[in-house]
Amino acid sequence: MKKAAIIGTGLIGTSMGLGLRAAGWHVMGWDADSAVGKRALERGGLDALAESEEAACAGPLDLLVVATPPAAAHGFVSRARVPWLTIDTAGAKSTIAAASELPRFVGTHPMAGREVSGPDAATASLFNGATWVLAVDGAESTDLDEVEAVVSSLGARPTRMTAADHDAAVAAISHLPQLVAASLVGLAGDHPEAMNLAAGSFRDLTRVAGSDPALWLDVLAANREEVLAAVGELQERLTGLAELVE
């Protein structure tokens, strides 16, 4: 039986645990918030809950998953000394890839999620049909092949690209929309009567504004340069639209 350990048992980590267990893996887990770890175990996302991060990583393991926000993932890959094939799932890749001191590391990002977080929102079907990015920076081809097989078994469609290309892409299609949604909600909130008129199109545009703000601040900070560039491009486009309206 293959063995995996998951550091961080929120939405992504617990969903991975559910999927891996369904595929026949034995899954150990740990979370910095013990209540979150216990809930992941109760949900069936883990076979066992480790007492510490070190115990979860002790192995032997076929796969170590770091399913934490970017800052925590950055800290882990820069300090950990484990021989196992290791992946992270954070939404920004360049800074983590540059910080990794691990001998077998593949930075990844499943393009799947929900506006709610935590193990209670987890599902083994979360990754079905979703693109799952594998950052090629510093990764061995054999490790990339192994990770592709794992994410494919979870129902995802693996795709390889550089960390820089990933970060530029998600700034445009994920990180900028998050900022826009939050801005639209804030703007509408300044006009209480407007919220009474909001219908489907506004809700569709702003659904992601309900996501965990602390998590998103972490993601945006990790991809700061690309996000700022995307914001600047949007500002230029909005200025052009304003000139047309005038």
Side-chain angles (χ1 to χ4, degrees), residues 40-66:
L41 182 64
E42 293 169 352
R43 287 287 328 281
L46 306 173
D47 289 286
L49 186 63
E51 295 184 356
S52 65
E53 181 182 271
E54 292 77 12
C57 298
L61 299 171
D62 296 288
L63 181 68
L64 175 59
V65 179
V66 184

Side-chain angles (χ1 to χ4, degrees), residues 83-95:
W84 329 121
L85 174 59
T86 303
I87 68 172
D88 82 302
T89 63
K93 298 268 65 85
S94 294
T95 56

Side-chain angles (χ1 to χ4, degrees), residues 55-131:
C57 298
L61 299 171
D62 296 288
L63 181 68
L64 175 59
V65 179
V66 184
T68 68
H74 184 282
F76 181 90
V77 303
S78 63
R79 72 172 183 275
R81 298 294 183 270
V82 293
W84 329 121
L85 174 59
T86 303
I87 68 172
D88 82 302
T89 63
K93 298 268 65 85
S94 294
T95 56
I96 295 172
S100 177
E101 296 290 337
L102 298 168
R104 299 184 64 196
F105 177 69
V106 179
T108 84
H109 181 204
M111 303 303 295
R114 304 175 66 183
E115 66 273 19
V116 289
S117 59
D120 283 323
T123 171
S125 63
L126 182 67
F127 311 111
N128 286 351
T131 298

Side-chain angles (χ1 to χ4, degrees), residues 116-245:
V116 289
S117 59
D120 283 323
T123 171
S125 63
L126 182 67
F127 311 111
N128 286 351
T131 298
W132 196 313
V133 175
L134 278 59
V136 299
D137 306 54
E140 297 292 338
S141 60
T142 52
D143 289 339
L144 288 164
D145 291 343
E146 284 191 43
V147 175
E148 280 190 343
V150 171
V151 303
S152 295
S153 74
L154 296 176
R157 297 180 292 107
T159 185
R160 301 183 186 190
M161 62 175 60
T162 66
D165 285 345
H166 164 275
D167 288 354
V170 295
I173 57 94
S174 178
H175 303 169
L176 182 61
Q178 183 71 33
L179 290 175
V180 170
S183 298
L184 288 172
V185 169
L187 180 63
D190 290 338
H191 305 277
E193 69 282 1
M195 294 302 293
N196 294 328
L197 303 178
S201 61
F202 185 81
R203 287 194 295 271
D204 289 342
L205 280 169
T206 59
R207 175 181 57 84
V208 295
S211 302
D212 183 351
L215 171 61
W216 270 100
L217 284 173
D218 192 332
V219 173
L220 295 170
N223 199 26
R224 181 182 296 105
E225 291 185 9
E226 294 293 351
V227 170
L228 291 175
V231 168
E233 291 180 20
L234 179 61
Q235 287 175 326
E236 291 180 6
R237 290 177 181 271
L238 289 175
T239 297
L241 291 172
E243 291 173 352
L244 289 175
V245 173

